[in-house]
Amino acid sequence: MNSHATSHRGTGPEPHPFAGARPTPGGTARRTLLRTALTGAAALGAGLGATGAATAAPGTVEPRPGTPDEALRELAAGNRRWRTYRERHPHENPAVRRTLATSQHPFAVVLGCIDSRVPPELVFDQGLGDLMTVRTAGEVLDEAVLGSVAYGVLELGIPLVVVLGHQSCGAVRAAVAAEQSGEHLPAHMQYLVDQIRPAIDHGQEADARIDATVSAHVRLVRSRLAAEPELAARIATGKLAIVGARYELTTQAVNRLA
C-alpha cells in the first residue's frame, strides 16, 4: 500500500499501512446486554464456527490469517493489488462456495461507511468468507453495530477489527454543515449528525474541516470499540487489534490512522 505499511506475503519489505500503537482499553456496562444477546445468537449460528481457525478450510488455497499482524498483512497486500489493478477476486470458486455453506472463518471485521465507492471486499481484494463487514453512514455506532462487531470477535474468534473511514464522506459533510447552519435533519439522519458531531475539528475551515473530521471520527469510533471490556481483554492478551484507517478515493490506498 502506501509509505505507512510492513512486508506483504510473497513480496519484498514494504512499510505497513496499518502499523502503529493500539488504542488504550477502557470500559462500559453495555457489554452485559450484548453478551446476553450473543449467547442466543451463537445457538442460532452453530454452523458458523466458534473459533477463527488459522488453517484453510477445504477448498481454499492458503491458510487463513490467525493473528492481528497476519490479518493486517493480508489486507495490505489486497489493497495493493486493488490500487494497482491486479485484483485476484479470490475465494469465489465452486469448492469454496460449497465449504462456506456449512462454516465460515473470516479473518477481519471491517466497520465501514455505506458509501457505494468503498466496498471493503473490493478495496481489500478479498472474497467469500474472508471479511465480516458492517456498514453504516459515517461508520456510526449503535447497539446493533456493537453487537455485530462483538459477535465476530467473541464468537468467531476474529483477530482484527478495522474502522474504515474515507475521503469525501457525505455523512461527515452533512454533520459539519448541520452544525454550522443549526438545521435539524429529517427522520433518523439527525442521529448520524449527533454521533459525528463530537469529532468535528473546529481548528480547520471549509473542506479541510470535513477532511480532518473524517479522521477524527474514525479515531473516536475505534476508541469506543476498544473501550468495550470484552474486546479490551482480547486486546490486552494480543488476540485482537482494533485499528482505524482511511480510504483515499483519489489514490485507492488505505492508510492507517495513528
Side-chain angles (χ1 to χ4, degrees):
M1 299 170 76
N2 73 1
S3 60
H4 295 293
T6 57
S7 64
H8 299 306
R9 184 164 53 199
T11 67
E14 179 177 310
H16 201 295
F18 298 126
R22 293 175 180 161
T24 303
T28 173
R30 182 186 295 112
R31 298 298 304 129
T32 301
L33 176 61
L34 289 178
R35 189 62 188 178
T36 301
L38 287 174
T39 301
L44 293 173
L48 302 182
T51 59
T55 56
T60 60
V61 177
E62 300 173 338
R64 311 291 286 172
T67 68
D69 286 344
E70 289 172 355
L72 284 166
R73 284 194 293 270
E74 177 59 34
L75 292 183
N79 179 247
R80 181 166 61 180
R81 294 193 301 269
W82 164 257
R83 73 174 192 268
T84 57
Y85 304 98
R86 297 177 180 177
E87 302 96 317
R88 296 177 185 169
H89 303 289
H91 308 147
E92 297 178 0
N93 62 58
V96 169
R97 296 185 192 191
R98 286 192 295 270
T99 297
L100 291 172
T102 56
S103 66
Q104 66 167 328
H105 303 289
F107 67 85
V109 176
V110 179
L111 170 56
C113 184
I114 60 172
D115 194 294
S116 63
R117 301 166 292 179
V118 196
E121 289 85 355
L122 293 184
V123 303
F124 289 118
D125 191 29
Q126 300 301 315
L128 294 172
D130 293 332
L131 304 180
M132 180 173 284
T133 59
V134 185
R135 300 178 68 179
T136 64
E139 311 88 55
V140 164
L141 292 179
D142 62 14
E143 290 296 322
V145 174
L146 285 165
S148 299
V149 173
Y151 181 84
V153 172
L154 303 176
E155 302 302 324
L156 300 185
I158 293 174
L160 176 67
V161 176
V162 178
V163 180
L164 183 63
H166 67 93
Q167 180 184 17
S168 301
C169 179
V172 169
R173 181 179 296 275
V176 170
E179 185 194 54
Q180 291 174 338
S181 68
E183 178 187 4
H184 188 91
L185 298 187
H188 298 285
M189 289 186 288
Q190 185 62 39
Y191 176 81
L192 302 175
V193 168
D194 292 341
Q195 293 297 305
I196 296 171
R197 191 188 306 273
I200 293 177
D201 188 337
H202 296 100
Q204 304 291 335
E205 299 293 338
D207 286 345
R209 174 174 293 181
I210 295 167
D211 193 68
T213 300
V214 167
S215 298
H217 184 61
V218 168
R219 294 187 181 100
L220 179 62
V221 172
R222 180 196 62 189
S223 296
R224 286 183 60 190
L225 288 172
E228 294 293 321
E230 292 185 3
L231 302 185
R234 295 184 72 87
I235 292 172
T237 61
K239 295 179 180 178
L240 173 69
I242 302 179
V243 303
R246 275 182 54 133
Y247 178 70
E248 304 302 330
L249 295 171
T250 51
T251 65
Q252 294 88 58
V254 176
N255 302 311
R256 169 82 183 270
L257 293 176

